[in-house]
Amino acid sequence: MLDTPEAVVEALRENHDRPHGLQRTVTAEEIVDAAELLDEPDTLVTALLELMASYEFTGEHRKSPVVFARLLKLWDTVPDTFSPWEAHQVFWRFKWVATSLLQVPEVPLAAIHGWIDTMRGRYTAADQGMQPVAAMRYHVANHTGSGLADAYDLWATRVRTELSDCEACEIRHLAEHQVESGDDAGALEIWGAVLDGETGCAEEPQLSRSRSLLPLLRSGRADEARSHHLSGYRQVRGNTGTQDAVGLHLEFCALSRNEGRGLEILAENRPLFEATGAPLAHLGFLTGAGVLLTRLVEDGHADTAVAGPPGHDWTAGTLLAHVRSEAGRLAAAFDARNATSTVGDRFRTRLAQRPLLDEPLPLGLRTQGTRPAASAAPAAAPADAVTPAAGADLSQDFATLVREARRLAAAGHPGAKRLWDRIEERLANDSAAHDDELGPQDLLTAELADQRAYELAKKDRDEESAVELKRAAALYEGLRMPWHALNARSRSLAWSSSPEEADREATRTCLDDVLAEAERLQTQAPLTEETALEYLAVRYSAAYAAYQDALRDLPETEGTAAERFQELARTLRAEAERLAVPHHVANALQLTADLAGRGGDTEAAEELLRAALDAVDASVRPWRGSRPRALLAQFLLSKGEPDEAAELLHRALADAARYDDTDFALAPTYSLLGHAVSHLGDLGGAVRHLSEAAALFDQAGELAEAIDVRLQLADVLGRGGRPEDAVAVLESLLVDEAHAPDNERAFAQARLSLARGLRELGEHLPAAEEFLRLADTVAAWEDDRPVQTLVAAEAAITLAMADRWDAAATVYERAVAAHAEAPNPSLIISMMCQFARLTVRAGEPQSLESALEHLARADAVRAGVPQDAEDFAHWYERGTVHYRRACVLADVERFEEALPEAEAAIAAHEEGGEHGEVPRAEAVRIAALIEGKGLARFQDAVARLTAAAARCRSADLPEAADILEALRQDYVRR
């Protein structure tokens, strides 16, 4: 019951700790009602301020001025009931009211100007500066478009006062003015301090992140735009008070060609369609939705199901019509109120925007929407290389199309694939028919069967592939093309993947027969340029089959399979050199290198791959270099040579695009490149390449690989100082968890990383919830008990951080019980020390006794570990407990007891030799703080710090030395 001032104050305290939203607002309204009945003006003032804040931060701008009017009446009648902070808030919130009135089109412009005049009068009477008043006049001018230049000058040239908007918000307004003036570069320069995290507030940097998205894209700073979307959207999603910012993220998705991500955001924020308490902000949300829907409809997706206002099924087309109608009505209402067309013009300009990028910006997020395939028009090739004829795949002349496909296929050019696909498509839809000038129809039928076999083999549909190849072989035989038939037969055998030894032995026998037939054919007629290629293709098939057999025997690198492969590879290379076909020399070398590398001989693999690349360079088939370059880069990375690896991977990707090589493994290569550049310190490049890899794995339906890459991406972001971005990636990854039970452990790792990331961001309750979900998952892992100990311990700590002490205590004991079955003493000691720290800082009665009990339990755990236990440093754990006990005692000002504990920590870490120097320096720092600030023994503290700083410098620990020296200087100056 809220029937006493004390009860109301307690309710206000509890409500203030809740996140802004419907529950907090409704509760604030109930508290005001209760406070009014108490006849306690000071309590009512506090309640009204809390209610007004709830309205402000949930976008209920229609209601906020009414609350302020009640506050102002109390200020005029009983000003002594206002605390200094509350008195300051009265003047501060004049600005809130001006902004709220501007948000509502039914409020006449004259009334807004009148309110600002009232604000000016109140500020003058209170001897306050006029800069905040000028700022309000600027916001009105910016909204209406009238007198903007003068209003900007009057505001921007005035000196800030204590009632000016916070520095971060004012920077945002200054930057937005530059954006609207067409100066993106100037805006981004102004924004720097906010976007870099140097200054912020409750609304920043998230609002600036959303408003800077398009300026960053337009300025070519896509990596920063990606980051601001990842981190900024998390902070505004689902919030009625920031719905215009959600609209800006929708707009960004549309203009960066991430429509699938935009549709997910639309679905996540469906309630915002009904959030009409701040009409101008609502117009911003609707406009962003309109930009997204316009792009979808113009791209031919008008019938796509989308999320719109509840109670109705929507398509992109019907929702766009609804949004245009609602937004247009609001824009017209504002323009009618303002007697200008500014609001409507801005709305129409935003809807007319076109995408800012040619290809989708990789975000690194898992989205349900499909991503359009990248266009792959080949770039100019070297003069001695075969190139596709311009526009051949678009030709309406079927005979020309077939001849071009045959020409490219004869040269082994990867661009032939696109043409064969087009040929088959045209035959299937009856838009073309065979022409006798192309030769026998059976020839084209055989060629298409050959192509289908290759595509089926890539999808591991070996039996179907073999059927197509046998069909092609029979057709070639009928056409008296024995070499082509033999080539098809050899591939049907080489691409077989039966694990049965009997089948493999039968395949080897058949391949030997094919090789014998090839040798017989050679004796009947000399090899021509064309038949030499077919002969070497047969040789390559036999070597490839032997390579597959040798792979199955790894890690054994000797034996029958390895010997057969080496013999066939040597023969392939020798015959290719004899016939002057260097790309087959490269093939033989590449297979040999791959097998050597997998067997552990990376030096031999590197040498062979460099020779293979020399052979490619000697050929007229430069597209053959992408695969050996990627493989060589992989070996170089394993040796810790990321510079050359990155260079090779860039070249491999560039050539794959240049020569239209759609079979090249783009996703793994981008992943490898991201790994390489991360080692070079290029965070932006690493994020870009790993994001691209994740998107490509998504397109290919390779979920396990996509999960792995996103875990790498999150790790790179976290280590790169961007934990918010990492959390956004992990949250998107876990969307698929229920649909991929085979990847339970990968998802568990993702949830662990997410929980830790949320904890690092200070989002302790969501972090604890993730830990508890993870605990439910790992509870069934009978084969991995240590993980249960880990998760329980981290969950307990995080629950304590979230101030959920009852749950924390339960999970704490669960961690101790798990430790009894799957010991992890270092982890449990750390948990107990953390609980000691958090318990004391919670400030509850008996907190010191509880904290010391946790530390006593930690000592008991340590004492129970054998002295010769591996992976457990007794000196370190003993020092850790002493250190924490010193801190706990110092927190409650029991300095005489704390100092011996700090000195015991120093002595324990001394035993660790060079490994103990860093924790020893920290223990010295605590001892000096206790001596100086706790016991006022400054000379002793200075002597201790002088010796310790010198010791750290001798141990090459300059950072630790600087910390100790700074404290020493502070004491010396006293």
Side-chain angles (χ1 to χ4, degrees), residues 837 841 879 882-884 886-888 890-891 895 898-899 901-907 909 916-935 937-938 940-952 958-971:
R837 176 181 68 88
R841 294 191 178 177
H882 282 303
Y883 169 84
R884 183 52 58 196
C887 292
V888 163
D891 281 344
F895 301 115
L899 184 57
E901 290 293 331
E903 291 177 331
I906 295 169
H909 290 310
E917 288 297 330
V918 172
R920 181 189 184 281
E922 171 58 15
V924 168
R925 186 184 71 86
I926 289 298
L929 284 171
I930 294 168
E931 280 180 320
K933 296 187 177 180
L935 299 171
R937 300 175 189 167
F938 292 106
D940 292 345
V942 167
R944 186 189 297 274
L945 290 165
T946 302
R951 177 171 177 150
C952 286
E959 185 176 349
D962 289 346
I963 291 171
L964 296 174
E965 180 61 26
L967 181 57
R968 191 188 79 85
Q969 291 293 338
D970 181 43
Y971 284 170

Side-chain angles (χ1 to χ4, degrees), residues 829 832 854-864 877-878 881-882 885:
I829 290 169
M832 291 169 171
H854 287 305
L855 293 171
R857 295 182 73 175
D859 270 330
V861 170
R862 179 186 56 79
E877 302 298 346
R878 187 171 69 257
V881 177
H882 282 303
R885 190 176 286 112

Side-chain angles (χ1 to χ4, degrees), residues 442-443 445-447 449 470-480:
D442 281 355
L443 175 59
T445 303
E447 290 166 328
K470 289 173 183 176
R471 181 186 180 199
L475 289 167
Y476 286 133
E477 289 281 5
L479 293 166
R480 297 188 178 182

Side-chain angles (χ1 to χ4, degrees), residues 245-317:
V246 175
L248 290 168
H249 283 278
L250 288 169
E251 183 178 44
F252 164 78
C253 289
L255 302 183
S256 66
R257 297 187 181 272
N258 281 284
E259 293 87 349
R261 166 69 169 166
L263 289 177
E264 290 185 354
I265 291 176
L266 203 62
E268 278 188 316
N269 294 276
R270 196 173 189 182
L272 296 186
F273 283 103
E274 297 179 320
T276 58
L280 188 59
H282 191 55
L283 174 59
F285 167 71
L286 292 175
T287 304
V291 174
L292 172 67
L293 295 165
T294 298
R295 295 266 44 82
L296 288 167
V297 170
E298 290 188 359
D299 287 344
H301 302 294
D303 295 331
T304 298
V306 298
H312 190 76
D313 292 331
W314 300 93
T315 65

Side-chain angles (χ1 to χ4, degrees), residues 48 81 103 391 433 577 633 954:
L48 287 169
T81 62
Q103 279 273 346
E577 289 173 342
S954 297

Side-chain angles (χ1 to χ4, degrees), residues 638-703:
S638 69
K639 290 173 55 181
E641 299 180 18
D643 299 73
E644 186 182 358
E647 183 181 339
L648 288 164
L649 292 165
H650 277 298
R651 171 74 185 276
L653 288 165
D655 281 354
R658 185 182 196 183
Y659 299 114
D660 196 17
D661 189 352
T662 56
D663 290 334
F664 182 65
L666 291 176
T669 307
Y670 272 112
S671 176
L672 204 60
L673 179 56
H675 184 56
V677 300
S678 72
H679 283 284
L680 296 174
D682 181 3
L683 175 62
V687 172
R688 185 164 58 251
H689 300 315
L690 290 172
S691 297
E692 183 69 35
L696 290 166
F697 278 128
D698 285 344
Q699 286 180 30
E702 298 176 14
L703 180 58

